[in-house]
Amino acid sequence: MARPVYSPPSVRGTSVRVQHRHVIYVQGYDPRGLSQYYRMFRTELRKFGRLYGLTTSVSRPKGHTDGEFAHESASWCIETSGDGWQTTTDYDFLRWEDMIQRDLAVPIWRTLIHAIAIYWGLVFSGTMGRFWKAHWRFATFISWPHVLLLNGAIWSAGIAWLFALGLQALGIHGFLVGCGAVAVFVAVLGSLLKYTEKHTYLLYLMADTIFTWQFSHGNRPDWDARIDRFAQHLVQVAKSTKAQEIVLVGHSSGSFLGSEILARALKLDPELGSHGPRVVLLTLGGNMPIVGFHRVAQGFRDNLRLLAVEPSIDWIDCQSRKDVMNFFPFDPIAGHGIDAGPARRNPTIVPVRFREIIRPEHYNRFRWKFFRVHFQFVMANERPHAYDFFMIVCGPVPLRGRVSQPATTLALVDGTPTTRENAWKKLDLGAKSPTHTGSHETEPVARRIG
């Protein structure tokens, strides 16, 4: 199994104190969408402010005014101030929930048949074996709904068999007994799936499997069209924003969607990362192999190679062993069999240990709740730490600077006044041009950031 490559961080753009940042957030395959995400964001922002003693405020979400794009995204603004710094963050939320909800509205029987066919296709094609080799926990996770389905089918078959015995005891035989048993089996299994879904997520996970298979095979033109529009939006932001840093965040399935958006934006504008603000792709809890491991997904792998060698952008990939819904440890380039050669510079892989950012009593409470663990990547810390999603979004240090000098960056908000003053000096975050290319010493602790 390919081991992560810890790339030396670029220094371009890390010596600027960020007073204005533009974040573009790419959600994963989550039907809840804008309303619930915004409520979570607002709640977690308050926790973030209390943890570090910061002043924070967030505006209400507003839709864009650009025709069709107006229904596909929303934005809000965050103001954050600390000891000697203040940052404004424009936050764009890219939306997919309308298409996801349509997927989930498909009849149960069709979802089951399609997902089962895809799963066994993965098994016989060897793709599932590659999943097991890359990360056995993720392979177990995507197999779990099929185990649950088999269990439900066994119980339903047992009830149907008892019903058939009852019919036979009443003197009913032959064809009518068979029809009755089948009807009971279907009714019981359907009821089990429907009324236990909020606990098992079986149908949701199967719909997710269907989507990723279709996307990897180029069978989702609706998603491709929206990705193209999001790529155009990124190009427009890079040309027009006054921000000093643009961070494209992809969480969960948003990791491969975000990489596609950035790659297509680079094809629209090869100078994307040279207009002024540094463009950074931040992938959190990524699961790129669910697309990239399919043989037909050559275009996706070509786009990954483009990002691996592109000098005008940075790519930070955060992974966690505890999160069964991401691949850990996994190199998104070498792990896909991509040889980028000596020109490779991305991504920088950062392991994150949730045990270090959550208080022990809370960590033990949710450590086996897989979706809760998965979302910790984009939730507030309970303990100060070098990895902090809201500090990435709201803090004064560029993302590259956070990765290259995590201990010093943390000292800005979790140190004594003297320590903070020394951290400012070491980071050299003065009012300089966003394209400043001075050389800075980096701390050799990127491997230990989590």
Side-chain angles (χ1 to χ4, degrees), residues 137 251 284-285 320-326 352-355 357-358 362-379 387:
R137 295 185 183 187
H251 174 244
L284 306 172
S320 175
R321 180 187 299 276
K322 187 60 182 175
D323 180 13
V324 301
M325 298 173 68
N326 81 162
V352 178
R353 295 193 67 192
F354 294 145
R355 184 187 295 274
I357 66 179
I358 299 298
H362 290 168
Y363 179 80
N364 292 329
R365 190 181 305 163
F366 72 74
R367 60 183 300 185
W368 300 111
K369 297 179 180 178
F370 299 142
F371 283 95
R372 173 61 181 84
V373 170
H374 189 52
F375 268 86
Q376 185 57 53
F377 278 109
V378 293
M379 297 176 72
Y387 177 82

Side-chain angles (χ1 to χ4, degrees), residues 22-27 33-35 60-76 91-98 226 229-231 233-234 236-237 261:
H22 199 121
V23 174
I24 302 176
Y25 181 84
V26 187
Q27 66 168 334
L34 172 63
S35 59
R60 298 291 301 172
K62 294 182 179 180
H64 288 87
T65 58
D66 301 338
E68 190 172 9
F69 188 69
H71 304 289
E72 300 172 351
S73 68
S75 298
W76 52 88
Y91 200 97
D92 293 344
F93 179 84
L94 305 187
R95 306 178 66 175
W96 317 96
E97 68 263 31
D98 57 326
R226 191 165 295 188
R229 289 192 289 273
F230 289 159
H233 173 67
L234 175 57
Q236 182 180 0
V237 168
I261 291 170

Side-chain angles (χ1 to χ4, degrees), residues 206-253:
M206 288 191 167
D208 193 356
T209 297
I210 295 169
F211 158 69
T212 53
W213 186 90
Q214 292 174 330
F215 184 80
S216 66
H217 285 69
N219 295 335
R220 291 304 299 259
D222 51 344
W223 284 75
D224 277 316
R226 191 165 295 188
I227 288 172
D228 287 338
R229 289 192 289 273
F230 289 159
Q232 294 168 3
H233 173 67
L234 175 57
V235 170
Q236 182 180 0
V237 168
K239 289 181 178 180
S240 62
T241 186
K242 296 181 180 179
Q244 296 145 311
E245 178 181 59
I246 299 173
V247 181
L248 178 65
V249 181
H251 174 244
S252 190
S253 299

